[in-house]
Amino acid sequence: MRHITWLLFASVFACTTPKSNQEPSMQVAGDITPLMELPLLSMEKDSLYDKVLGMLVGSAIGDAMGAPTEMWSRYNIQVEYGHIDGLDPMVREPSPEGTWDFNLPAGGTTDDTRWKLLLSDYLLLQGDVLYRQEGANPYTFAQFIVRRYKSEIQQLKQTDSFNPIPFEDQARRMAWLQEWAMVAKPFAEKDLEAYSEAVNRFYGGEMTCAGMLYSPMLGLVYPGNPELAYQSGYRLGFFDLGYARDITALTATLVAAAMDPSATPETMVNSLRDTDPKHYFNSRLVGRASYRIYREALYLTHEAKSMTEDQVDPSTLQLPLSGRTPLRVAQIQRAYELLDNKNQDMPFHAGEIHLINLSALLFCNFEFLPALEFVINYGRDNDTVGAITGSILGAYHGYAQLPPTLSQKALKVNKEKLGIDLEKMAGELTEMMVENGIIIPLP
């Protein structure tokens, strides 16, 4: 079998060796991971495209399902919607991180899908660099974000209208990236002190789900190579603090594992344990926080699914049946109650999102729509969790296996209302991967 040599990337800030008359480059302790030879995937181009499109559309479906009730409690969801099992119109005001227009039709999306588009633009610009020794470069990524932010500022300055709506629209586009640009600029300039201050103020200094919004794209472009996807996600995860950065990289890992045509739930779950190039498991006293979260999801799922029919009291069911058996509803309700005990102060904290995502995957046996229903009806930051869960399962099942009514609507509304052409994006990314020889066409 043919092989390709990949460089498993150095830690962030270890990209350059400074000369004596230059400012010292920012570095993180640790050696450059040695070269490894990883086997190419054996699959047809059409099969690769199906998985790429499945990942993008699966993410958009999850985003769109959660967008109308983003940050809601499950009680409020039950009162107003009963049970969400599809796409609903978004009766909500626009915001920089949310929808950019009033009352988008069903299938519209938020910043979770915009980040997929932004990463696609960046990755396509990088092209073959992603598959050479340089790999995914955090500095060029930071520069890309700063350029995009400056472009939005210029668009706002050039807005000429008596009507305030165009100003408000463009201000939302600029504000979407302002927190990110404040971190990206000193990072790109390798100003350690300014970067340290900025990243510790990023969205209030919480361990947010920052890199999880875009890291699925890094799993997509390194299909079947969880470790390479992890390294790439980790390098570009410089907005994350603490174990949130490990979780960002593991999100890329799960997508890369799901992109393998021979993927199984077991191989995907094992990638969470087996992929640890930064040696989080070796952390003194604490160990690997992300793996503890996985174990919490595992035991939570086991306890909830262990309920039997004789333990179900229909009078205690708070969730609507919606065509489900009382036992199934009781099991979901129990899983939700156990998740409640793990809630973070901030619904978009990386640890909470990782736990909800893994719980949905395990509880629903990696089935696409049941897992998304689990995530969306739980509430909290459900559009982001939905986008992450949808990314993983969309890559795993492929576009052809997604519910047609949901996938077609997501494609149509994103293209016509938001200018996000997911099919075009999938085609361009597939071509980039094929041109760089990362698959072996089947005879």
Side-chain angles (χ1 to χ4, degrees):
M1 178 181 290
R2 289 166 45 203
H3 289 70
I4 189 167
T5 300
W6 304 87
L7 177 63
L8 296 180
F9 309 120
S11 297
V12 168
F13 300 133
C15 297
T16 57
T17 302
K19 296 179 181 179
S20 58
N21 61 344
Q22 294 177 328
E23 290 293 324
S25 65
M26 296 183 288
Q27 297 189 356
V28 172
D31 296 330
I32 294 177
T33 308
L35 289 169
M36 290 181 62
E37 290 195 352
L38 302 176
L40 299 173
L41 292 177
S42 295
M43 62 190 306
E44 293 288 358
K45 178 181 176 181
D46 288 347
S47 298
L48 177 62
Y49 173 78
D50 181 64
K51 280 185 164 288
V52 173
L53 185 60
M55 179 269 177
L56 294 172
V57 175
S59 177
I61 291 172
D63 185 8
M65 284 181 69
T69 59
E70 180 183 5
M71 298 296 181
W72 286 25
S73 70
R74 68 173 181 275
Y75 172 78
N76 289 339
I77 292 173
Q78 291 163 28
V79 169
E80 190 156 340
Y81 287 88
H83 176 75
I84 299 172
D85 59 5
L87 301 173
D88 293 290
M90 281 148 232
V91 185
R92 56 180 286 182
E93 293 184 359
S95 67
E97 285 79 13
T99 58
W100 277 352
D101 203 354
F102 288 89
N103 300 353
L104 281 174
T109 53
T110 71
D111 61 334
D112 294 278
T113 301
R114 290 197 295 273
W115 270 108
K116 307 300 187 301
L117 175 60
L118 188 144
L119 254 289
S120 176
D121 291 344
Y122 168 73
L123 295 170
L124 290 169
L125 276 177
Q126 296 301 295
D128 64 336
V129 173
L130 296 170
Y131 304 101
R132 299 203 311 265
Q133 288 192 136
E134 295 89 338
N137 189 308
Y139 299 113
T140 61
F141 180 49
Q143 292 161 3
F144 181 82
I145 290 173
V146 171
R147 288 198 301 271
R148 183 65 61 91
Y149 178 63
K150 288 181 176 179
S151 173
E152 299 296 354
I153 292 175
Q154 289 303 314
Q155 290 292 326
L156 179 60
K157 289 180 177 179
Q158 294 168 10
T159 303
D160 183 13
S161 172
F162 180 78
N163 191 320
I165 292 178
F167 291 97
E168 293 172 354
D169 289 345
Q170 189 57 45
R172 281 191 290 272
R173 295 172 181 271
M174 182 195 73
W176 168 46
L177 288 177
Q178 72 179 30
E179 289 275 336
W180 306 77
M182 295 303 102
V183 176
K185 185 175 185 292
F187 183 90
E189 295 169 353
K190 301 185 181 180
D191 183 340
L192 177 57
E193 183 174 355
Y195 165 68
S196 178
E197 289 187 9
V199 76
N200 281 285
R201 291 198 312 270
F202 181 69
Y203 283 108
E206 282 284 346
M207 285 187 286
T208 61
C209 56
M212 298 174 79
L213 275 67
Y214 55 79
S215 64
M217 295 294 291
L218 302 169
L220 184 150
V221 296
Y222 298 116
N225 292 300
E227 186 156 338
L228 190 56
Y230 182 100
Q231 294 278 25
S232 183
Y234 191 89
R235 294 192 89 207
L236 269 57
F238 55 84
F239 297 98
D240 294 299
L241 297 170
Y243 66 76
R245 191 163 187 171
D246 184 35
I247 290 175
T248 280
L250 285 174
T251 303
T253 296
L254 280 168
V255 173
M259 289 289 294
D260 192 319
S262 62
T264 66
E266 183 179 18
T267 62
M268 294 162 67
V269 165
N270 286 346
S271 71
L272 296 171
R273 175 199 66 202
D274 300 337
T275 310
D276 186 25
K278 300 301 178 184
H279 309 295
Y280 275 89
F281 276 117
N282 297 353
S283 299
R284 187 169 178 225
L285 298 178
V286 176
R288 195 176 196 184
S290 64
Y291 196 70
R292 290 201 308 277
I293 292 171
Y294 160 70
R295 294 182 68 192
E296 289 171 356
L298 185 66
Y299 288 112
L300 176 158
T301 297
H302 176 76
E303 180 173 337
K305 294 179 77 172
S306 294
M307 291 187 68
T308 59
E309 289 185 4
D310 61 318
Q311 295 175 300
V312 178
D313 180 356
S315 67
T316 64
L317 297 182
Q318 299 172 351
L319 302 175
L321 291 178
S322 300
R324 300 169 295 184
T325 66
L327 174 60
R328 182 64 170 178
V329 171
Q331 290 174 338
I332 294 172
Q333 187 168 298
R334 180 57 179 154
Y336 284 176
E337 291 168 353
L338 293 169
L339 279 172
D340 288 345
N341 295 331
K342 302 292 182 180
N343 279 351
Q344 304 284 348
D345 290 337
M346 302 298 293
F348 52 85
H349 192 290
E352 175 176 295
I353 288 178
H354 194 50
L355 177 61
I356 299 171
N357 170 52
L358 295 180
S359 298
L361 295 176
L362 295 169
F363 186 88
C364 299
N365 300 316
F366 287 75
E367 296 180 47
F368 182 80
L369 190 53
L372 284 184
E373 290 183 33
F374 181 101
V375 163
I376 301 307
N377 288 282
Y378 181 63
R380 307 284 284 180
D381 193 9
N382 54 358
D383 67 323
T384 291
V385 190
I388 292 167
T389 304
S391 294
I392 296 163
L393 294 179
Y396 176 49
H397 293 287
Y399 176 79
Q401 299 300 314
L402 301 184
T405 55
L406 302 184
S407 58
Q408 291 168 13
K409 185 171 288 187
L411 283 172
K412 178 180 174 65
V413 173
N414 274 276
K415 182 177 181 180
E416 294 181 358
K417 295 293 185 180
L418 303 173
I420 302 175
D421 191 336
L422 297 170
E423 289 177 300
K424 179 175 181 288
M425 196 188 310
E428 292 174 342
L429 290 167
T430 300
E431 287 295 335
M432 181 186 75
M433 287 187 271
V434 170
E435 289 174 2
N436 284 282
I438 68 167
I439 65 169
I440 302 173
L442 293 171

